Amino acid sequence: MKINEMIARMVLDSRGNPTVECEMHNSYTGVRAIVPSGKSTGKHEAVELRDKKSSFNGMGVEKAVKNINKIIKKNIINKDWEQETLDNFLIKLDNTENKSRLGANAILAVSMAFARLNAMSKNDELFFYLQKITGNKKISLPIPFCNVINGGVHAGNDLMMQEFMIVPKAGSFKENTRIISETYHELKRIIRKKYGKNAVNVGDEGGFAPPIETAEEALDLLMKAIINSKHKSQLRIAMDCAASDFYKKGKYEIEKNSYVSAEELGNYYIKLIKKYPIVSIEDPFAEDDFEAWNKFMEKINKRNIQVVGDDLLVSNKKRIEEAAEKKLCNGLLLKPNQIGTVTEAIEAAKSAMKNNWNVMVSHRSGETEDTFICDLAVALNCKQIKIGAPCRGERTCKFNRLLRIEELI
Ligand code: PGA
Ligand code: ZN
């Protein structure tokens, strides 16, 4: 497909920070794509180019936008591309290991816009277009892993672990959405009663951020909401510890000023797993603490627990293959902007699946109204997605896109 015209611009993400939008046209139609932005980012992620000037507190994307409008555009318009040839060309044009020249935020905006434009031009839904690229025979709606209590760098409380999620298992996305919404509102009532009305303000991903300090307090609140809302048979629990953020000089600060070793932390997780219906733990250890990951995997081998690598893997095929070989985890958190092109994101998922891992597609804490990841999760047939709480437009648009897709397939 040929691109006739394109323009990039700065738009805002859900935290009010600049991010990159790419608008792309051919003779048939036009589309837009916006990239999200993380806050608890892995240090091995592809580079998100920021201007580092005084405007927007150093968060400007003028340079990334310029890279699209001045460098990428003249190299790609009026030529015939497929997704893979375009993405490979963009990787070569950048010509760095971590996309630091053009910026992963610039490259991904172009890659996503091209996917959307190509799909539209073929009169296809985006998920059908992406399905063809994956070569998958089957597609399916994912289970939403719904982050209802926020801590870590996403919230203004002293809870070290970042995300406490409810995981429904009803037969349809619509039913799962109902269960999540009802439980979310019950949780709100419980938190308001216990901690007062200021405690129901929400964190970056729409979950509540009550003034609690321990994982157990968060899990007890979740259990109460699950039981009160009468969804105990339909809900399980997942956590994203984002442990790189509380790893300091070889120790883990699991509560304010309380440090433990990796082994103690592993035993603590096992205690939690025994007490609560936890099915999945993401980033239980720091991104380069391979030994801790491996020992934990050995210990929980017999239990049916999903151990997901986010900062550990950064959606990067090389890190995924290394982690598989060293037996560090059994699940991939897939964030397209960690790697920078649609093609590489799909390759990362395939490489995880080849190792019999699960794949969970994920939003970022700084999101936008773009719903690309929903179509990606459906196309990958990976059955899991993280889209935050059923609250705030940048999260609900993902629920709503998936509700619409469910009607289509
Ligand atoms: P981030 O957090 O988008 O701030 O990196 C999400 C996550 O850790 O899964
Ligand atoms: Zn994470």
Side-chain angles (χ1 to χ4, degrees):
M1 185 197 67
K2 271 192 189 131
I3 304 159
N4 292 0
E5 189 51 83
M6 60 188 276
I7 180 168
R9 63 175 69 88
M10 182 278 291
V11 294
L12 293 179
D13 73 13
S14 56
R15 276 190 282 256
N17 288 325
T19 189
V20 181
E21 172 172 276
C22 178
E23 187 172 318
M24 201 178 265
H25 298 263
N26 61 10
S27 50
Y28 179 69
T29 187
V31 299
R32 295 188 199 105
I34 316 177
V35 295
S37 172
K39 192 178 206 174
S40 76
T41 45
K43 77 174 180 231
H44 305 285
E45 290 190 23
V47 172
E48 181 182 77
L49 219 54
R50 295 284 181 188
D51 296 335
K52 306 227 163 48
K53 285 189 294 199
S54 57
S55 70
F56 289 108
N57 305 299
M59 296 292 282
V61 290
E62 256 176 60
K63 187 147 191 271
V65 164
K66 218 165 138 192
N67 286 346
I68 296 179
N69 289 336
K70 297 271 181 268
I71 303 173
I72 297 178
K73 180 180 165 181
K74 68 168 183 250
N75 278 286
I76 68 171
I77 63 165
N78 298 322
K79 290 179 190 155
D80 226 351
W81 302 103
E82 289 305 327
Q83 191 72 45
E84 200 180 339
T85 54
L86 177 73
D87 287 348
N88 287 340
F89 177 79
L90 293 171
I91 293 166
K92 268 209 193 108
L93 189 65
D94 173 81
N95 200 26
T96 66
E97 187 64 22
N98 56 3
K99 302 191 175 67
S100 54
R101 188 172 90 89
L102 298 172
N105 42 353
I107 294 172
L108 183 65
V110 174
S111 178
M112 282 165 60
F114 180 83
R116 193 168 271 144
L117 184 62
N118 207 349
M120 275 260 251
S121 306
K122 294 184 164 87
N123 254 329
D124 257 354
E125 289 286 342
L126 179 57
F127 61 86
F128 279 135
Y129 168 81
L130 294 171
Q131 180 193 6
K132 281 179 203 147
I133 295 179
T134 64
N136 280 345
K137 296 226 160 45
K138 274 195 196 152
I139 53 175
S140 61
L141 267 292
I143 288 174
F145 280 56
C146 177
N147 177 12
V148 290
I149 295 185
N150 295 186
V153 297
H154 294 168
N157 55 13
D158 286 328
L159 183 62
M160 290 299 182
M161 293 175 192
Q162 184 177 282
E163 298 171 22
F164 293 83
M165 292 169 267
I166 47 175
V167 185
K169 57 171 179 181
S172 69
F173 188 82
K174 190 174 168 194
E175 188 61 4
N176 283 338
T177 303
R178 179 178 72 84
I179 291 168
I180 282 172
S181 171
E182 288 174 4
T183 311
Y184 180 72
H185 286 102
E186 179 56 26
L187 180 64
K188 185 173 184 170
R189 282 189 280 272
I190 293 168
I191 292 175
R192 180 183 282 136
K193 204 165 153 210
K194 191 159 182 194
Y195 300 100
K197 63 180 187 212
N198 286 341
V200 292
N201 294 332
V202 298
D204 286 358
E205 297 188 349
F208 302 111
I212 55 176
E213 290 173 17
T214 70
E216 273 122 321
E217 284 173 285
L219 292 164
D220 286 338
L221 284 172
L222 280 196
M223 286 312 295
K224 196 157 182 219
I226 290 171
I227 291 163
N228 285 5
S229 58
K230 303 197 168 49
H231 290 311
K232 196 162 177 241
S233 64
Q234 296 283 12
L235 281 174
R236 296 143 305 152
I237 290 174
M239 292 167 66
D240 178 4
C241 309
S244 298
D245 289 330
F246 57 88
Y247 182 67
K248 283 162 199 161
K249 295 188 192 134
K251 291 267 185 187
Y252 291 90
E253 188 181 13
I254 52 165
E255 285 157 33
K256 221 177 164 196
N257 299 321
S258 167
Y259 293 84
V260 298
S261 68
E263 193 181 353
E264 286 165 329
L265 182 58
N267 292 337
Y268 177 66
Y269 292 138
I270 289 169
K271 195 176 101 188
L272 296 181
I273 289 165
K274 283 184 186 160
K275 189 166 168 199
Y276 303 96
I278 294 170
V279 291
S280 177
I281 299 192
E282 180 182 328
D283 281 353
F285 302 97
E287 56 214 332
D288 292 323
D289 193 359
F290 288 3
E291 195 188 328
W293 285 83
N294 174 262
K295 283 202 174 132
F296 185 62
M297 281 299 284
E298 271 175 15
K299 267 195 195 157
I300 63 152
N301 212 353
K302 298 173 291 298
R303 297 169 199 275
N304 204 9
I305 300 290
Q306 173 172 274
V307 180
V308 180
D310 171 13
D311 293 351
L312 173 77
L313 306 170
V314 291
S315 308
N316 182 315
K317 200 175 158 189
K318 278 190 201 147
R319 300 259 314 170
I320 293 165
E321 271 156 20
E322 185 182 4
E325 196 199 305
K326 294 184 172 151
K327 296 194 170 58
L328 305 185
C329 61
N330 57 20
L332 162 70
L333 196 79
L334 183 65
K335 292 167 165 169
N337 82 321
Q338 283 181 326
I339 188 69
T341 62
V342 172
T343 300
E344 287 166 291
I346 291 172
E347 270 174 16
K350 282 192 168 171
S351 140
M353 287 168 177
K354 194 185 74 204
N355 286 295
N356 291 320
W357 288 5
N358 295 329
V359 174
M360 189 189 300
V361 171
S362 173
H363 64 167
R364 300 302 309 237
S365 52
E367 260 300 329
T368 76
E369 60 271 32
D370 194 298
T371 57
F372 194 96
I373 53 164
C374 301
D375 290 69
L376 180 63
V378 169
L380 286 171
N381 194 30
C382 64
K383 301 188 169 62
Q384 303 186 26
I385 192 167
K386 276 214 307 190
I387 48 176
C391 172
R392 304 178 44 136
E394 78 282 5
R395 315 292 150 186
T396 54
C397 66
K398 275 56 164 191
F399 279 93
N400 297 346
R401 171 67 182 153
L402 287 164
L403 286 165
R404 292 182 196 114
I405 294 178
E406 185 159 62
E407 282 181 11
L408 292 170
I409 62 177

